[in-house]
Amino acid sequence: QVQLVESGGRFMQAGGSLRLSCAASGLGYSSDAMGWFRQAPGKEREFVAAINWSEGITVYADSVKGRFTVSRGDAENTVYLQMNSLKPEDTATYYCNAGGTIIGDVYYGLNDWGKGTLVTVSS
């Protein structure tokens, strides 16, 4: 069973920076691609960013391009999300996803989710 543990979320002021971390276990293999999603209160979960490090590909939602950076962690099956210039509309619970692949500009991941980490951005 895949387990995903996200961390790093907290209350922030607009304009600030924050780095989220995620570790996946139970995959049984080293994932080449991982992604980040978020879900704001009352809204559906949406894609944020993904990375395939074996192919050197990163993809981002338009709403975070130029502000967020996804990168591979030091340990196997770990990923970071560096978030800069935070905006109140970035407020959401952030989830990571592992074991996926990127085709074109779309990340396709497994249907396994952690508990997420809450990011709250105040104006």
Side-chain angles (χ1 to χ4, degrees):
Q1 183 178 357
V2 179
Q3 292 185 322
L4 297 137
V5 179
E6 303 91 346
S7 62
R10 63 185 180 97
F11 181 90
M12 296 290 296
Q13 295 289 334
S17 296
L18 190 65
R19 190 176 80 162
L20 305 182
S21 302
C22 172
S25 60
L27 278 170
Y29 60 91
S30 180
S31 178
D32 288 339
M34 294 182 71
W36 285 95
F37 292 74
R38 68 186 180 186
Q39 187 168 17
K43 296 187 177 181
E44 294 187 352
R45 187 177 295 163
E46 64 175 4
F47 170 75
V48 175
I51 180 170
N52 181 316
W53 40 77
S54 66
E55 297 184 12
I57 298 172
T58 55
V59 293
Y60 296 92
D62 288 342
S63 58
V64 306
K65 279 182 182 176
R67 300 189 298 121
F68 290 11
T69 302
V70 59
S71 62
R72 184 183 187 182
D74 296 330
E76 184 177 82
N77 294 335
T78 62
V79 67
Y80 299 126
L81 183 68
Q82 177 67 42
M83 304 187 295
N84 298 329
S85 301
L86 283 164
K87 303 176 180 180
E89 50 263 44
D90 294 320
T91 295
T93 298
Y94 285 72
Y95 301 88
C96 73
N97 187 277
T101 187
I102 297 175
I103 301 175
D105 292 336
V106 181
Y107 172 80
Y108 297 91
L110 300 177
N111 193 27
D112 294 291
W113 303 97
K115 294 182 179 180
T117 187
L118 177 62
V119 175
T120 303
V121 184
S122 173
S123 57

